[in-house]
Amino acid sequence: MGSVCVEALLEELRVFGLGYEEEAVPDKLVELCMTHRLAQSDLANELVAFTTTKEDGSHLTVDILNVFEHEVLNKRVTKAHQKRDNRYSGIKDINTIQGLIDVEEEEENLLDAYTTPSKGSQKRNITTPENPRSKRTLSTRSPQLLFSPNSFSPSATPSQKYGSRSNRGEVVTSFGSVQDKSWSGKGGHGSSVKLFGPPEQSLTRSYKFMFQKFRDIREVLSWKIEELGDALKKHYKIEEFTSVLVPAQEPVTVLGQIGCDSNGKLNAKSVILEGDREHSSGGQVPVDLSELKEYSLFPGQVVVMESINSTGGKLVASKLYEGVPLPFYQSTEQVEDLELQMVLVACGPYTTSDSITYDPMLDLIDIINKDKPDVCILLGPFLDAKHEQVENGQLIGSFEDIFKHCLKMIIEGTRSAGSQLVFVPSLRDVHHDYIYPQPPFSCYELSKGDKQRVHFVSEPCTLAINGVIFGLTSTDLLFHMGAEEVSSYYPLYPPSEEMNVDYENFYNYVPLPVTPDVLVAPSDLRYFVKDVLGCVCVNPGRLTKGQVGGTYSRLYIQRQDTEEERKSPCIAAQVVKI
């Protein structure tokens, strides 16, 4: 800046009523202008603003100017440096993020050069010693590759345990006749996938939730007890039900819902029966199960039992009526195509817990392109809310954007195979509605060519695949609750603490319309394929388990002629290591 005109500066101050008596004041003003590189008018404006807050500010002294420099001018310098050095402020595009990563690495390397061996490097460890990563790996990537599904976080490193697995392709369990099966499909040629049942029984769009009245919940639970009670009464020809609260010295038949008398797990000593509304007004009474030879109960199960209630305060059960399974669907349409159809079933997570590289998903895509299954059923989570990098907020980009990239990988990666794709959401999908029943994914726009082969369905849902009925749910619900109780995708009450249930829509969309030919119920427990009363139940496991690879399932189905006696359309099934 040029030289400072002291007289012009003092004249500007006099205009605002500022004077001085000490001879050193003019020299101090010049020093402030030169030191802080301020124009005369800028210094005058700052000084006038400062003195208006002081009681004796109209008379300038060296002491006042020193305070002014400390409280105002020095802070201006600090803010200027902070603004210039604050590289992490504002919204950054992908190129800026890449630049920040490179600069941060260079700074950390420079700091490491000045640290003593005893102190060690404070740089965070983002690679394993067995597979060190080049410092320039990220900087050589294009912005598109940096934001590809293989690197959703700046520290994306492939899982060592998953990459070193030796049992890929191993068959861990089989069902049916699997000899001479090549396990390949026709790539969706001639396959038909559609929702089963009338449109009003299928959840096809999002809905408003988070507002339920206790009265409405009570109504849904009462309807469930009454409807199942009527079915049992008709099947076993029971004349009438008795109240659970009325003393009875002779055996009587009561209807109710199993509950637990505490917050712990249900056991033989904690069982209570909540009576129906019509006969027992919802009254509750403890149940003694000691006289039953065998039983299988769970909270929320609707039961009919014979019992004695000598005091009106405790039921001693003597007989438990088994539930009545729903009928199987019998099509009246003539069958033209009786060829085998291959169905592949996989359940997320699709990436290991120590990485976000989605290598397991890429391996699954390779399997689909190789085997060309007719239908691929893919259940969430696709971006797991329980993943460490999701919980710690280490991902680049929004959850929805990452999910869209995952779908793009699958849909575009399997076009050559031509397989029909069915996507089922999960309550663990971090970007999706956290409510049960869960609406289909709606954030991904399909191209015109993909609309015929890509299907977004709800959780849970019932599908007809070439006339074979599939029941699909991504909720981890164990099937041991009782095969006779397959009347709902989620019969437990109260639900798990991880479940957020909307009971009005629960009543409309969660009950099973028929007993499915194949029920897909993934679980964290051991995989299995079992025939239970004619329904083939499949737990395909999860594609990944922690840091290691998991399993998926493949099935051969064949629709039978309507004139033949019913037999399971699931000819064979296997669970295979990824």
Side-chain angles (χ1 to χ4, degrees):
M1 59 178 286
S3 60
V4 179
C5 181
V6 181
E7 294 299 327
L9 177 58
L10 293 175
E11 184 61 29
E12 284 194 45
L13 294 176
R14 290 193 192 98
V15 171
F16 294 97
L18 296 180
Y20 68 96
E21 296 179 354
E22 298 180 7
E23 294 181 356
V25 168
D27 293 334
K28 182 64 177 177
L29 292 172
V30 173
E31 178 186 333
L32 293 177
C33 285
M34 299 298 293
T35 302
H36 297 279
R37 302 183 64 81
L38 292 172
Q40 298 162 187
S41 58
D42 293 337
L43 178 63
N45 292 337
E46 292 282 358
L47 195 53
V48 170
F50 172 76
T51 55
T52 55
T53 63
K54 307 296 180 182
E55 293 181 358
D56 55 347
S58 59
H59 295 284
L60 298 179
T61 63
V62 174
D63 291 338
I64 290 178
L65 292 178
N66 287 334
V67 174
F68 166 70
E69 181 181 21
H70 175 73
E71 294 184 2
V72 178
L73 299 184
N74 288 343
K75 290 183 178 180
R76 278 172 53 93
V77 175
T78 302
K79 288 180 180 180
H81 282 296
Q82 288 178 347
K83 185 175 182 180
R84 185 167 59 250
D85 293 338
N86 187 8
R87 303 184 304 274
Y88 300 98
S89 61
I91 299 175
K92 309 296 183 184
D93 61 14
I94 205 68
N95 293 293
T96 309
I97 294 173
Q98 175 62 66
L100 296 182
I101 296 170
D102 295 340
V103 170
E104 185 178 10
E105 282 193 349
E106 291 175 3
E107 289 183 352
E108 289 179 343
N109 292 337
L110 181 62
L111 290 174
D112 287 346
Y114 284 92
T115 57
T116 61
S118 60
K119 293 182 180 179
S121 172
Q122 300 300 315
K123 184 177 179 179
R124 66 182 184 276
N125 183 21
I126 59 176
T127 60
T128 58
E130 296 81 0
N131 187 23
R133 187 184 53 164
S134 169
K135 301 293 185 182
R136 295 296 176 184
T137 299
L138 284 174
S139 61
T140 57
R141 290 182 178 178
S142 67
Q144 291 76 17
L145 183 58
L146 178 67
F147 201 66
S148 71
N150 281 346
S151 55
F152 287 131
S153 69
S155 58
T157 305
S159 173
Q160 295 296 312
K161 288 188 177 181
Y162 178 80
S164 61
R165 71 196 188 283
S166 59
N167 57 355
R168 63 187 70 190
E170 177 187 346
V171 178
V172 292
T173 188
S174 299
F175 169 84
S177 176
V178 295
Q179 275 73 23
D180 301 325
K181 294 291 189 296
S182 60
W183 291 106
S184 61
K186 296 175 294 183
H189 177 71
S191 297
S192 169
V193 178
K194 55 186 179 181
L195 294 172
F196 177 78
E200 62 271 13
Q201 293 182 4
S202 299
L203 179 58
T204 58
R205 63 184 63 187
S206 298
Y207 58 89
K208 295 181 179 179
F209 53 92
M210 294 183 67
F211 180 77
Q212 292 188 90
K213 297 179 180 178
F214 289 114
R215 180 182 60 191
D216 295 337
I217 297 175
R218 179 69 262 175
E219 288 294 321
V220 170
L221 297 176
S222 297
W223 290 337
K224 183 184 76 168
I225 297 174
E226 292 171 5
E227 289 178 358
L228 293 177
D230 289 341
L232 290 167
K233 185 177 182 180
K234 181 178 180 181
H235 181 77
Y236 290 105
K237 297 180 173 55
I238 299 173
E239 293 184 2
E240 61 178 357
F241 295 124
T242 305
S243 171
V244 300
L245 301 175
V246 175
Q249 307 301 324
E250 299 292 332
V252 294
T253 306
V254 295
L255 167 68
Q257 177 177 268
I258 296 296
C260 183
D261 64 1
S262 64
N263 292 327
K265 292 185 178 180
L266 187 69
N267 57 64
K269 302 298 182 182
S270 63
V271 176
I272 61 173
L273 186 69
E274 180 181 342
D276 67 319
R277 183 168 50 182
E278 179 182 355
H279 303 94
S280 306
S281 301
Q284 298 180 349
V285 62
V287 180
D288 183 352
L289 302 171
S290 59
E291 294 189 10
L292 293 178
K293 294 181 179 180
E294 58 181 8
Y295 53 87
S296 176
L297 300 174
F298 60 87
Q301 183 177 359
V302 177
V303 298
V304 172
M305 64 173 65
E306 281 188 4
S307 59
I308 295 176
N309 190 358
S310 57
T311 64
K314 189 172 188 177
L315 290 172
V316 179
S318 57
K319 181 180 179 180
L320 196 63
Y321 288 89
E322 293 184 352
V324 181
L326 293 169
F328 289 95
Y329 173 66
Q330 295 290 339
S331 175
T332 57
E333 300 177 3
Q334 290 296 324
V335 180
E336 297 180 359
D337 186 4
L338 295 177
E339 292 187 9
L340 286 176
Q341 295 271 308
M342 179 183 172
V343 179
L344 183 145
V345 181
C347 179
Y350 293 89
T351 183
T352 55
S353 61
D354 61 338
S355 174
I356 200 73
T357 57
Y358 281 88
D359 286 342
M361 177 183 286
L362 294 174
D363 290 340
L364 184 66
I365 292 174
D366 291 340
I367 292 170
I368 294 173
N369 289 326
K370 174 178 169 289
D371 296 341
K372 291 182 170 53
D374 297 285
V375 180
C376 298
I377 300 173
L378 305 177
L379 303 100
F382 294 89
L383 182 57
D384 192 0
K386 296 183 178 181
H387 195 283
E388 180 180 348
Q389 294 190 24
V390 172
E391 291 180 333
N392 296 336
Q394 296 175 344
L395 301 183
I396 297 174
S398 67
F399 296 145
E400 188 171 299
D401 287 341
I402 297 174
F403 168 73
K404 288 180 180 179
H405 278 77
C406 293
L407 288 194
K408 186 177 181 181
M409 280 176 61
I410 300 171
I411 295 172
E412 295 184 358
T414 59
R415 279 178 183 162
S416 60
S419 304
Q420 298 275 323
L421 301 179
V422 178
F423 291 93
V424 183
S426 165
L427 291 178
R428 285 167 55 179
D429 276 306
V430 68
H431 75 286
H432 199 40
D433 294 342
Y434 183 62
I435 191 66
Y436 186 88
Q438 199 172 22
F441 293 130
S442 59
C443 63
Y444 189 86
E445 292 293 333
L446 294 171
S447 65
K448 185 177 180 180
D450 290 325
K451 288 184 178 180
Q452 297 300 318
R453 74 179 190 98
V454 179
H455 311 271
F456 296 119
V457 299
S458 63
E459 152 54 12
C461 78
T462 307
L463 289 183
I465 300 178
N466 276 37
V468 178
I469 308 303
F470 275 71
L472 307 177
T473 177
S474 60
T475 302
D476 190 348
L477 178 66
L478 297 180
F479 196 70
H480 72 263
M481 293 183 304
E484 68 281 359
E485 184 59 29
V486 184
S487 61
S488 169
Y489 282 107
Y490 198 85
L492 282 176
Y493 184 83
S496 166
E497 293 181 355
E498 296 181 353
M499 297 283 290
N500 184 27
V501 180
D502 184 288
Y503 278 95
E504 181 178 352
N505 288 282
F506 179 96
Y507 182 79
N508 295 327
Y509 303 120
V510 175
L512 277 164
V514 294
T515 296
D517 298 310
V518 180
L519 177 63
V520 178
S523 173
D524 288 329
L525 298 183
R526 187 177 177 84
Y527 44 77
F528 62 81
V529 183
K530 295 181 180 179
D531 187 321
V532 182
L533 300 180
C535 173
V536 176
C537 304
V538 182
N539 171 18
R542 299 193 181 275
L543 199 66
T544 62
K545 285 198 170 185
Q547 300 180 19
V548 299
T551 55
Y552 67 95
S553 181
R554 55 193 184 190
L555 305 87
Y556 266 131
I557 60 172
Q558 185 176 36
R559 184 177 177 182
Q560 67 183 100
D561 197 317
T562 55
E563 296 179 359
E564 298 178 1
E565 184 180 354
R566 185 197 179 273
K567 60 182 179 181
S568 176
C570 184
I571 306 300
Q574 288 182 338
V575 177
V576 187
K577 289 280 188 180
I578 185 65

